[in-house]
């Protein structure tokens, strides 16, 4: 079954800030290959680079159904900070 744009928008709007933070942490852990990474971990300190940033935003875009600029990963390198910005800009909008 394919999810429509309206269904994706509804699901995204219902996503709470803590749930989004958990999602971003899980994406960071998987993409960076670091199981003990937490919400305050720094993207750069765990070996993040431009390719990894693109992978993270691609995963977020797939999960949220909204375009997430890769520049946000560089500007907000911790999962908590990135989740806060994404929640404010894309979920609450």
């Amino acid at each position: 079954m394919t999810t429509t744009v309206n269904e994706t928008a509804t699901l995204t709007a219902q996503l709470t800030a803590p749930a989004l933070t958990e999602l971003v942490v899980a994406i960071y852990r998987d993409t960076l290959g670091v199981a003990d990474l937490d919400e305050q971990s720094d993207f750069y300190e765990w070996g993040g680079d431009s390719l990894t940033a693109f992978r993270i935003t691609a995963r977020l875009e797939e999960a949220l159904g909204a375009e997430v600029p890769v520049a946000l990963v560089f500007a907000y390198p911790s999962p908590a900070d990135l989740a806060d910005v994404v929640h404010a800009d894309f979920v609450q909008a």
Side-chain angles (χ1 to χ4, degrees):
M1 183 171 132
T2 304
T3 305
T4 67
V5 172
N6 288 338
E7 290 170 334
T8 300
T10 300
L11 292 172
T12 302
Q14 294 172 352
L15 190 62
T16 65
L20 181 57
T21 300
E22 288 179 30
L23 172 66
V24 175
V25 169
I27 290 171
Y28 269 55
R29 285 178 180 159
D30 186 53
T31 306
L32 291 167
V34 180
D36 53 340
L37 186 143
D38 65 24
E39 64 185 34
Q40 296 305 319
S41 294
D42 186 274
F43 173 75
Y44 302 107
E45 290 177 9
W46 288 103
D49 57 22
S50 59
L51 183 57
T52 307
F54 278 103
R55 289 179 180 150
I56 288 170
T57 56
R59 300 262 316 265
L60 279 171
E61 289 174 1
E62 183 180 322
L64 300 175
E67 186 175 337
V68 179
V70 72
L72 291 179
V73 175
F74 298 119
Y76 304 96
S78 77
D81 291 341
L82 180 60
D84 286 346
V85 170
V86 169
H87 191 266
D89 290 352
F90 301 101
V91 178
Q92 291 179 340

